[in-house]
């Protein structure tokens, strides 16, 4: 595809349920980021994947949050036992990182998660 | 770890007024990037600055990178309603770190 694709675009779930959010990065991009953005707020860093390196999970707010990136491409962010405070837009971004690369991040349209 | 601070958090201007947002890093940056997020949209890359003291212009937008490569600014001349949105700076040699953004509203 031409850009970063995220699915679903909207997700409504009940408190306590698990959810999976998917991100398809731009083909060939080595780095993938997940962010959370609450209404009217900034970008909260969650997790960062770069190539085959161990992911930087320093932004994950609790052990209910996890993410994986399979085959260096598609990534899934999983939230277990969702809480109402998890309601936000979850944004994924990818970039190509290399010696001559600009490391520009391209964002998907996000998944709007609503926990009832 | 590296921190990127951005001020002001909010700015409301009358159409035609100028606007500036400032970005400061706790460490020297290899480069600084600026992004714009329109209401209801996602952040979109605007520009990257790499050199110490660099100044770049995009129409009414002027971007500066400080001599010490620890601060940057975005200045918009004669704002228009189309400038509404949140402006983020971001820096980092490998992992990009975003500032919290400046939300700009423009009164027509």
């Amino acid at each position: 595809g031409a850009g970063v694709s995220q699915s679903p675009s909207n997700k409504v779930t009940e408190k306590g349920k698990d959810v999976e959010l998917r991100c398809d990065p731009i083909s060939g991009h080595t780095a993938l980021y997940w962010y959370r953005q609450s209404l009217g707020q900034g970008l909260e860093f969650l997790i960062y994947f770069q190539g085959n390196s161990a992911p930087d999970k320093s932004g994950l707010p609790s052990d209910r949050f996890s993410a994986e990136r399979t085959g260096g491409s598609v990534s899934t962010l999983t939230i277990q036992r969702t809480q109402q405070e998890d309601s936000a837009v979850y944004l994924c971004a990818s970039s190509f990182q290399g010696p001559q690369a600009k490391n520009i991040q391209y964002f998907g349209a996000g998944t709007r998660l609503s926990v009832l | 770890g590296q921190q990127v601070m951005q001020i002001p958090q909010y700015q409301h201007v009358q159409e035609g007024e100028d606007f500036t947002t400032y970005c400061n890093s706790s460490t020297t940056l290899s480069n600084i990037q600026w992004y714009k997020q329109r209401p209801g949209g996602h952040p979109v890359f605007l520009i990257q600055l790499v050199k110490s003291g660099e100044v770049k212009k995009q129409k009414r937008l002027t971007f500066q990178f400080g001599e010490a490569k620890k601060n940057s600014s975005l200045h918009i001349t004669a704002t228009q309603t189309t400038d509404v949105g949140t402006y983020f700076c971001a820096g980092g040699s490998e992992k990009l770190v975003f500032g919290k953004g400046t939300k700009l509203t423009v009164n027509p």
Side-chain angles (χ1 to χ4, degrees):
Chain A
V4 177
S5 178
Q6 290 188 246
S7 59
S9 55
N10 284 282
K11 177 71 177 178
V12 180
T13 191
E14 293 179 349
K15 178 182 173 182
K17 300 284 189 182
D18 298 353
V19 295
E20 284 189 352
L21 312 180
R22 177 186 169 105
C23 173
D24 282 274
I26 293 173
S27 178
H29 277 192
T30 56
L32 188 147
Y33 298 75
W34 282 99
Y35 299 93
R36 179 168 69 176
Q37 189 171 39
S38 300
L39 188 62
Q41 302 300 308
L43 300 170
E44 178 187 2
F45 165 76
L46 296 178
I47 190 167
Y48 161 58
F49 297 90
Q50 166 54 14
N52 295 321
S53 303
D56 177 347
K57 305 179 181 180
S58 60
L60 295 178
S62 77
D63 58 9
R64 296 187 295 105
F65 288 72
S66 63
E68 62 177 20
R69 188 179 184 192
T70 54
S73 181
V74 172
S75 178
T76 302
L77 176 68
T78 302
I79 308 173
Q80 296 179 311
R81 305 180 303 281
T82 51
Q83 304 294 312
Q84 289 182 332
E85 60 262 29
D86 299 334
S87 297
V89 174
Y90 290 81
L91 290 163
C92 173
S94 72
S95 68
F96 178 71
Q97 291 185 221
Q100 302 301 324
K102 285 190 171 184
N103 193 16
I104 296 168
Q105 288 198 13
Y106 295 86
F107 285 80
T111 294
R112 182 175 298 278
L113 175 65
S114 299
V115 182
L116 304 179
Chain B
Q2 180 185 352
Q3 290 186 319
V4 176
M5 293 144 288
Q6 204 173 338
I7 57 169
Q9 188 175 357
Y10 302 96
Q11 185 76 59
H12 179 77
V13 300
Q14 288 292 126
E15 189 172 21
E17 292 181 340
D18 292 356
F19 158 77
T20 305
T21 173
Y22 301 90
C23 183
N24 289 283
S25 170
S26 57
T27 60
T28 301
L29 300 169
S30 58
N31 69 87
I32 191 91
Q33 298 180 14
W34 286 91
Y35 292 75
K36 177 182 178 180
Q37 183 177 24
R38 294 181 186 273
H42 57 274
V44 174
F45 172 79
L46 292 177
I47 206 162
Q48 182 183 63
L49 304 172
V50 178
K51 299 176 183 176
S52 169
E54 188 170 13
V55 178
K56 286 189 177 180
K57 292 190 176 185
Q58 289 180 350
K59 297 182 181 177
R60 294 176 295 101
L61 277 61
T62 302
F63 304 84
Q64 291 188 316
F65 200 10
E67 294 290 341
K69 301 183 76 172
K70 295 182 73 173
N71 58 74
S72 180
S73 65
L74 158 58
H75 179 83
I76 302 178
T77 303
T79 54
Q80 300 176 359
T81 54
T82 53
D83 296 325
V84 163
T86 301
Y87 294 84
F88 295 96
C89 63
S93 55
E94 189 172 315
K95 171 186 159 186
L96 209 58
V97 177
F98 280 80
K100 292 191 180 299
T102 296
K103 184 176 181 179
L104 173 65
T105 54
V106 179
N107 205 27

